[in-house]
Amino acid sequence: MRKQKIVIIGAGIVGASMAYQLAKRNQDVTVIERHPAAAREVTEKSFAWIHTTHRTAPEYWHLYDAAVEEYHALQQELSELQIHWHGALTWGNPTLREQLRLQKLNREQLVVLEPNLKEYPDEAMFASEEGAVDPIGLTELLLSKAQKYGAKVQFATNVTQLKQGDSRLVGVHTSTGFLESDVVVLAAGTGVPELCDPLGCHVPVTPSPSILIRMKTANRLIRTLISNAQFEARQLTDHTLLAAEDYLDESEENGPEAVGKRAFETLRRSLKGGNQLELESIKVGMRPMPEDGYPIVGFHDHMKGLYLAVMHSAITLAPLIARLAASEIIDRESRSELDPCRLSRFKDRSKEDPAVSQA
């Protein structure tokens, strides 16, 4: 099979996963990243929960159900990969998808599982198979492995234009020169629409901000990942605790700084030993959110050589989707698992519903 020149735009978790899967199958891979290092956009600010039980449309269940197995397979391939398989503990949260994998725990069981909580609900749901990762460490590991397979990575390089020849892409103009391509993989998150619009290829993705709060702690205070109406938190390391919050607005009362400080104070009050917590940082991540909330993956119908890879939640889905996408790019055979992820669904929906604008 002919080795293809594949340019991947973006070195977050999606771009790194794509680079790893394509390079290990002997493709000529070049990754372009505008930052001086990997995972410096939304990946860096991800809570990085391998989250498989939240409520999703049935046509996407198979992707989430396969995500954990994919991570275990990746761990077998990459012995250096550290995944915290401590499970996720949830209560007061109506967004969980009911399935057999969830275990109901009573108060006594919760005390054993999480001894540092000051208050306990009567019962909670425990997803024992779920986990979490260090998002920067995972991204850097995948990129380094891709490079060992021959991939090239250009940091501090801006993409200025995708070059079109007739109805196909032929390369990428960058701040350091032109790169010829057989396939361009767009894994640039919220930057995807800006790159596609000049080609007449609208991709309905908008920024969805979220807040990540990082705290120092002398000891491990949380054993699992906890998500409830008061807080969402987990240990990244023995001495670093992460919390995630929804973005509200930019006002003084509800801006990221205020939301982050409230989350910090909530954890100080909610955990035994919480008074030892020290606030380290509050950061806003701009998640690339497709219009319907589900991944957009696949070759563009009318622009040959353009492959889209944009999704939320990327940490959960990127390893699985990257393997399937690499198969599509190399073997040129459509993977049915990715059928619900096609860009064409937005056009199909707008035909069915006149109130939806044409994509």
Side-chain angles (χ1 to χ4, degrees):
M1 183 169 292
R2 184 174 71 89
K3 180 184 287 193
Q4 299 179 89
K5 294 180 180 178
I6 301 173
V7 177
I8 300 171
I9 301 175
I13 183 59
V14 177
S17 298
M18 292 293 301
Y20 172 68
Q21 294 292 343
L22 289 163
K24 79 174 183 177
R25 290 194 59 186
N26 197 35
Q27 301 300 292
D28 182 351
V29 175
T30 302
V31 180
I32 303 174
E33 169 56 51
R34 66 188 184 95
H35 291 282
R40 290 303 180 262
E41 285 283 350
V42 69
T43 299
E44 175 191 44
K45 304 163 187 78
S46 171
F47 191 52
W49 181 359
I50 303 172
H51 196 341
T52 64
T53 53
H54 64 299
R55 192 165 291 166
T56 58
E59 58 264 38
Y60 297 94
W61 285 356
H62 65 285
L63 293 175
Y64 287 92
D65 289 344
V68 167
E69 184 180 341
E70 190 70 27
Y71 264 104
H72 283 296
L74 193 61
Q75 225 173 356
Q76 291 294 314
E77 290 180 29
L78 308 176
S79 59
E80 309 97 317
L81 176 55
Q82 298 293 315
I83 302 177
H84 306 291
W85 294 115
H86 302 315
L89 193 60
T90 307
W91 65 91
N93 186 343
T95 62
L96 290 180
R97 173 161 66 97
E98 291 187 11
Q99 56 175 242
L100 296 175
R101 295 174 185 172
L102 291 171
Q103 179 184 1
K104 188 179 290 186
L105 302 182
N106 60 32
R107 185 187 295 264
E108 290 73 23
Q109 291 170 312
L110 295 174
V111 172
V112 173
L113 190 62
E114 285 290 359
N116 291 322
L117 291 176
K118 288 184 177 179
E119 296 181 1
Y120 295 89
D122 291 332
E123 63 180 32
M125 304 307 296
F126 184 53
S128 59
E129 70 163 19
E130 293 190 342
V133 295
D134 174 353
I136 298 175
L138 171 58
T139 304
E140 291 177 339
L141 175 61
L142 289 169
L143 271 185
S144 70
K145 294 296 182 181
Q147 287 175 295
K148 288 184 178 179
Y149 283 116
K152 300 171 284 293
V153 182
Q154 297 183 8
F155 289 117
T157 302
N158 288 311
V159 174
T160 56
Q161 185 183 3
L162 302 180
K163 185 175 181 182
Q164 179 182 355
D166 296 324
S167 61
R168 72 169 298 114
L169 289 185
V170 296
V172 178
H173 290 285
T174 78
S175 54
T176 58
F178 178 73
L179 278 174
E180 185 182 354
S181 68
D182 295 306
V183 177
V184 174
V185 176
L186 280 188
T190 57
V192 168
E194 184 181 353
L195 290 168
C196 286
D197 283 347
L199 304 173
C201 305
H202 176 61
V203 182
V205 172
T206 55
S208 173
S210 63
I211 303 170
L212 186 73
I213 305 100
R214 190 180 181 108
M215 291 154 273
K216 293 180 182 177
T217 176
N219 305 295
R220 179 176 285 271
L221 299 179
I222 296 176
R223 295 182 179 180
T224 65
L225 183 153
I226 300 177
S227 177
N228 59 48
Q230 284 72 47
F231 64 85
E232 190 168 276
R234 72 177 183 93
Q235 295 280 162
L236 177 64
T237 68
D238 285 345
H239 304 294
T240 302
L241 191 146
L242 299 179
E245 289 290 333
D246 291 331
Y247 177 91
L248 299 178
D249 55 48
E250 284 293 336
S251 67
E252 185 174 345
E253 181 182 358
N254 289 320
E257 195 73 14
V259 170
K261 287 180 178 177
R262 286 200 293 269
F264 170 64
E265 291 300 333
T266 296
L267 283 162
R268 284 173 62 88
R269 292 192 304 269
S270 301
L271 297 171
K272 297 172 186 175
N275 59 344
Q276 67 177 259
L277 288 172
E278 297 178 34
L279 184 59
E280 185 175 328
S281 65
I282 300 169
K283 294 182 179 181
V284 176
M286 290 295 179
R287 299 170 297 186
M289 191 65 68
E291 189 176 275
D292 61 1
Y294 297 108
I296 299 175
V297 184
F299 280 108
H300 194 278
D301 288 341
H302 306 299
M303 183 60 62
K304 294 178 181 178
L306 173 60
Y307 196 94
L308 300 169
V310 56
M311 68 200 70
H312 175 75
S313 67
I315 291 293
T316 298
L317 296 175
L320 171 66
I321 286 182
R323 179 176 59 80
L324 298 172
S327 175
E328 290 196 325
I329 292 169
I330 297 168
D331 303 327
R332 297 298 169 126
E333 292 183 1
S334 179
R335 294 296 300 251
S336 61
E337 300 98 317
L338 295 175
D339 284 350
C341 302
R342 307 308 185 193
L343 178 64
S344 59
R345 72 183 185 270
F346 296 100
K347 294 180 182 178
D348 294 341
R349 188 176 299 124
S350 62
K351 289 175 184 176
E352 296 168 4
D353 183 358
V356 180
S357 62
Q358 292 290 326

